[in-house]
Amino acid sequence: LLATASADRTVKIWDVRKEVLLWTLRGHKDHVTSVDWSPTQPYVLASGSWDRRFRLWVLPGDEVQACRKKSACSGGLSPLRVAAHPQLIWRVAFAPSGERVAACHGAVGQSPTVVVYDVGSGHVVRRLGRHKDTPLTIAYSRHGDYLMSAGMDRQVLVYAAEDAGDDMPQGDLDDEEERMKWLQDVEEYRRERNGTASAVTQTIPGARNASDNASDEPPWTPHPMSGMAAFL
């Protein structure tokens, strides 16, 4: 079987020998950027998408055989698990043991994180957030000892895969000056909402709406992860 990630928001499952499409898995709301088969559990598949959703699919074994031999394929299959991410998902990857699956997300440097799931429970067991920009790919070593990620920050990070702890950057505590500035910003926001912003705020020299020169035509965004597929 071959699974393909499609820009038409679907995951397609193919019989390579017969060169026929068996299933079209629907549910993602944007480009599907990555798919990966479990190396140990037959017909278990993970997918990630720009819709910020991670999905875990399970194809029933008896139905797979019936579909391949008699073309008796069901009309649709639903994912076993769905998990929301705060940013676009770029890659999913199973650990060699099949017990864990990782997904990386990020967009324009925002929230660049690798999330590791327990396949059996669907729970998040680890979060890794040391990239300074979007992590675009992840992979486990052959024996599952290491989990690696590479990002737009030109960094490759290597983690001990079996460690349980998170590795997220911790921000420093605000000092008194920063706290007062935050309170002033909140108060200014409230005034603007009530239409009572000060004249100084309304007439900041050189201020310009970033969309003043924007084109009326929506931008065309090519799919950067086209061609992603996974063999079972």
Side-chain angles (χ1 to χ4, degrees):
L1 296 180
L2 171 67
T4 57
S6 305
D8 65 1
R9 307 177 182 181
T10 68
V11 175
K12 291 180 170 59
I13 311 297
W14 307 80
D15 186 321
V16 178
R17 292 180 180 176
K18 295 183 178 180
E19 300 182 0
V20 295
L21 175 65
L22 301 180
W23 284 284
T24 298
L25 308 182
R26 305 181 187 278
H28 284 295
K29 304 301 182 184
D30 207 332
H31 295 5
V32 182
T33 53
S34 181
V35 288
D36 194 28
W37 291 101
S38 168
T40 59
Q41 303 180 59
Y43 314 126
V44 174
L45 176 73
S47 64
S49 168
W50 280 358
D51 66 359
R52 308 180 183 188
R53 294 296 183 272
F54 165 86
R55 293 174 183 262
L56 191 68
W57 311 81
V58 178
L59 310 181
D62 53 349
E63 187 169 346
V64 171
Q65 299 306 320
C67 181
R68 299 185 74 175
K69 293 179 180 179
K70 304 176 182 178
S71 298
C73 305
S74 62
L77 296 172
S78 298
L80 175 67
R81 307 187 191 284
V82 179
H85 284 235
Q87 291 296 343
L88 313 181
I89 297 177
W90 296 94
R91 189 75 168 174
V92 296
F94 274 96
S97 66
E99 297 177 356
R100 292 185 176 185
V101 59
C104 61
H105 66 248
V108 199
Q110 298 181 15
S111 184
T113 308
V114 176
V115 180
V116 181
Y117 293 95
D118 177 83
V119 174
S121 66
H123 295 157
V124 174
V125 295
R126 202 174 181 196
R127 298 179 190 274
L128 309 172
R130 289 293 173 176
H131 278 291
K132 303 301 183 183
D133 205 341
T134 306
L136 294 178
T137 189
I138 48 178
Y140 282 90
S141 60
R142 176 179 295 183
H143 300 294
D145 298 325
Y146 301 101
L147 171 61
M148 294 145 286
S149 62
M152 294 182 69
D153 57 359
R154 303 182 182 182
Q155 299 295 315
V156 175
L157 305 183
V158 181
Y159 290 92
E162 295 302 318
D163 285 358
D166 291 344
D167 187 14
M168 301 292 292
Q170 302 295 321
D172 60 338
L173 297 177
D174 290 347
D175 58 25
E176 185 62 22
E177 181 180 352
E178 291 172 325
R179 193 177 70 84
M180 293 303 299
K181 180 62 169 63
W182 180 82
L183 292 175
Q184 292 172 5
D185 290 342
V186 171
E187 182 61 27
E188 191 65 36
Y189 171 76
R190 289 173 177 170
R191 290 178 180 176
E192 291 177 356
R193 286 289 298 271
N194 295 329
T196 59
S198 67
V200 175
T201 302
Q202 295 176 357
T203 58
I204 298 176
R208 184 175 63 87
N209 190 326
S211 63
D212 287 347
N213 298 324
S215 170
D216 291 334
E217 282 204 340
W220 176 77
T221 304
H223 185 206
M225 305 292 281
S226 59
M228 285 296 168
F231 274 106
L232 174 61

